[in-house]
Amino acid sequence: MDLKAIYISHQHADHQIGTINLILAREQAFRKAGKSVENLFIIVTGKYAEYLVTYHRKIQSVLSHAQLVKCEDLIFHTQKDEYMMSIPGDKVQLINPTLLQSLLSATGLKELETCRAVHCAHAFCLAFR
């Protein structure tokens, strides 16, 4: 029940098999304890997010108490000015700031960032503080 977030770096089976069972077991633990199910942040690639949403809609409700955070939205991007010139030191993430703050608050983290990994298509690394 203390699990606040999970991170899946890419779609290889050894990194994501069991995700749905984990989500369901966590929800069951809350219900068994007679508590409201707390939100779970699931940090995943956009491709795996699509799979989870499809599974949720067509097969079994698994995201009712979950918030998907796409790895792609946690990459820092250099901001450009109106002339498409890089603004020194000014980098932004695409994630909704309110969602990011909720995730950081729930996990006790100060920063969270991803970058692409040279491993397979749609693979990411995660850095946190």
Side-chain angles (χ1 to χ4, degrees):
M1 289 174 29
D2 289 335
L3 185 65
K4 305 297 182 201
I6 59 175
Y7 168 65
I8 299 170
S9 60
H10 60 287
Q11 287 77 245
H12 284 164
D14 61 327
H15 288 258
Q16 53 83 12
I17 292 270
T19 303
I20 290 169
N21 286 338
L22 177 65
I23 293 167
L24 295 173
R26 181 180 176 274
E27 288 183 2
Q28 184 179 21
F30 274 98
R31 289 190 184 98
K32 241 181 169 174
K35 297 182 177 183
S36 297
V37 180
E38 293 178 9
N39 200 27
L40 175 67
F41 293 92
I42 306 173
I43 305 164
V44 295
T45 67
K47 287 292 182 188
Y48 195 64
E50 289 173 18
Y51 166 76
L52 289 173
V53 168
T54 300
Y55 187 95
H56 175 79
R57 287 185 183 153
K58 296 187 177 201
I59 299 171
Q60 182 180 18
S61 177
V62 293
L63 299 177
S64 299
H65 303 285
Q67 180 69 53
L68 295 176
V69 177
K70 293 180 186 174
C71 291
E72 292 87 344
D73 293 344
L74 291 169
I75 295 173
F76 272 99
H77 298 275
T78 303
Q79 278 193 305
K80 307 277 185 183
D81 66 16
E82 61 204 76
Y83 306 105
M84 297 305 291
M85 302 289 290
S86 293
I87 301 170
D90 205 5
K91 295 185 176 185
V92 295
Q93 289 173 305
L94 300 178
I95 188 171
N96 176 300
T98 304
L99 174 58
L100 178 59
Q101 191 52 53
S102 295
L103 170 58
L104 295 175
S105 248
T107 57
L109 297 173
K110 299 220 183 285
E111 296 173 9
L112 191 60
E113 164 182 5
T114 57
C115 67
R116 298 223 179 248
V118 180
H119 178 61
C120 64
H122 313 289
F124 290 83
C125 300
L126 178 73
F128 58 91
R129 185 172 71 89

